[in-house]
Amino acid sequence: MNGTRRWIGYVALTVVFALACGLLSWWQWSRRAEAVEAIELVEQNFDAAPVPLEAELPVLDDWSPSQEWQPVVMTGTYLVEDQLLVRNRPRNGGPGWEVLTPLRLDDGRVFVVDRGWLPLGSVDDVPDVVPAPPEGVVTVVARLKAGEPTLPGRSAPEGQISTIHLPQVADLVAGETWTGAYGLLESEDPAADSRPLPVVRPPADEGPHLSYAFQWIAFGVLAFVALFWGIRHERRARLEEERVAAGGEPAPERRRGRGGEDADAEDALLDAAGR
């Protein structure tokens, strides 16, 4: 009876483990689906023809995830005095800054343009050089990107921000400002003499989610294989005990020698050689 209860517990534990493996496999499938969706969105939007900003985002706080990476074109004047540096932005494993320069359009509204990335300077608080944007009226092509959430407890010196939280940026700029999305600079006309490093196309990498999903399924199956092996092994041991108790001879044990060779075969070879 105690053995039965014990194996019922083992079966229950195996079922729980297999269910957990199934949930983890499903989670990895979901992660892969998200990665595939992001890759398809890049392929669809990254090289699309630019559309007017006002047509793509007619409302200042409007945004749809399907608009990510869509190029938009606009004409205006950079507000250099309102330029901000975004702290702790990594690129190729190195820390640095992103440069946000608001662009005032002809109708007076403001769109935030991320002009690119700069590495850490000799003094950590600022880059060595922040390339100036073009002066006067400029036509800008930028790819749309959603704003970022706030980071509680994070602060930054004047002229810097810790995250691209567009309502916070809007509070620092005079005039109506788009808060649903900002733009990653693609081109400027006229072009500046130099500019921060531009955004790079996201790689089409699904990650290891598919292989992990199959691994979790395999772990769940192996749990039942181990359970059945344990049940079969214990049943054979119990039958052997009952046979011996009934007066039978114990079954000979197989001994394993070095290298995994059967010791009985080794003994037979020694006998044939006259030891």
Side-chain angles (χ1 to χ4, degrees), residues 160-180:
Q160 302 177 15
I161 54 176
S162 57
T163 179
I164 306 177
H165 184 57
L166 294 174
Q168 177 186 358
V169 178
D171 291 340
L172 303 175
V173 179
E176 295 182 305
T177 304
W178 268 270
T179 57

Side-chain angles (χ1 to χ4, degrees), residues 69 78 83-91 94-102 111-120 127 129-134 140-143 145 148 161 164 182-188 192 194-200:
W69 305 114
Y78 280 119
Q83 184 167 271
L84 296 167
L85 296 176
V86 190
R87 301 167 59 86
N88 301 322
R89 311 302 279 199
R91 183 184 177 112
W97 313 80
E98 288 185 35
V99 183
L100 298 186
T101 311
F111 185 74
V112 178
V113 178
D114 185 337
R115 299 191 65 245
W117 182 87
L118 295 172
L120 289 180
V129 177
V130 180
V140 173
V141 176
R143 292 187 173 86
K145 193 75 174 173
E148 301 172 356
I161 54 176
I164 306 177
Y182 67 102
L184 301 171
L185 179 63
E186 170 61 21
S187 66
E188 298 166 322
S194 62
R195 56 166 289 189
L197 293 178
V199 65
V200 295

Side-chain angles (χ1 to χ4, degrees), residues 7-243:
W7 280 106
I8 290 175
Y10 289 161
V11 170
L13 182 61
T14 303
V15 170
V16 171
F17 177 78
L19 289 174
C21 290
L23 291 174
L24 289 169
S25 177
W26 175 82
W27 177 64
Q28 290 293 344
W29 277 106
S30 300
R31 294 286 304 278
R32 177 181 180 269
E34 293 173 358
V36 171
E37 184 178 354
I39 292 171
E40 291 175 348
L41 189 62
V42 171
E43 293 176 349
Q44 173 184 322
N45 290 349
F46 200 89
D47 296 323
V51 298
L53 172 64
E54 296 87 345
E56 188 69 21
L57 294 176
V59 181
L60 294 179
D61 60 354
D62 195 16
W63 171 253
S64 170
S66 63
Q67 296 174 301
E68 188 172 22
W69 305 114
Q70 170 64 46
V72 292
V73 60
M74 68 212 82
T75 300
T77 305
Y78 280 119
L79 303 177
V80 182
E81 65 276 10
D82 294 323
Q83 184 167 271
L84 296 167
L85 296 176
V86 190
R87 301 167 59 86
N88 301 322
R89 311 302 279 199
R91 183 184 177 112
N92 296 329
W97 313 80
E98 288 185 35
V99 183
L100 298 186
T101 311
L103 183 77
R104 188 181 301 281
L105 277 58
D106 297 336
D107 61 4
R109 294 184 294 177
V110 177
F111 185 74
V112 178
V113 178
D114 185 337
R115 299 191 65 245
W117 182 87
L118 295 172
L120 289 180
S122 54
V123 178
D124 289 344
D125 286 342
V126 292
D128 286 339
V129 177
V130 180
E135 297 181 357
V137 177
V138 60
T139 298
V140 173
V141 176
R143 292 187 173 86
L144 293 179
K145 193 75 174 173
E148 301 172 356
T150 57
L151 297 176
R154 296 285 294 274
S155 60
E158 184 178 356
Q160 302 177 15
I161 54 176
S162 57
T163 179
I164 306 177
H165 184 57
L166 294 174
Q168 177 186 358
V169 178
D171 291 340
L172 303 175
V173 179
E176 295 182 305
T177 304
W178 268 270
T179 57
Y182 67 102
L184 301 171
L185 179 63
E186 170 61 21
S187 66
E188 298 166 322
D189 185 19
D193 294 335
S194 62
R195 56 166 289 189
L197 293 178
V199 65
V200 295
R201 186 188 186 105
D205 183 12
E206 296 180 8
H209 305 300
L210 184 61
S211 62
Y212 288 167
F214 285 125
Q215 287 178 18
W216 283 116
I217 292 175
F219 291 156
V221 172
L222 288 174
F224 282 103
V225 171
L227 175 67
F228 293 141
W229 179 88
I231 293 174
R232 182 172 178 269
H233 179 76
E234 184 164 307
R235 180 175 178 275
R236 291 180 63 181
R238 187 176 64 253
L239 291 175
E240 175 66 13
E241 291 175 358
E242 292 174 354
R243 192 178 67 82

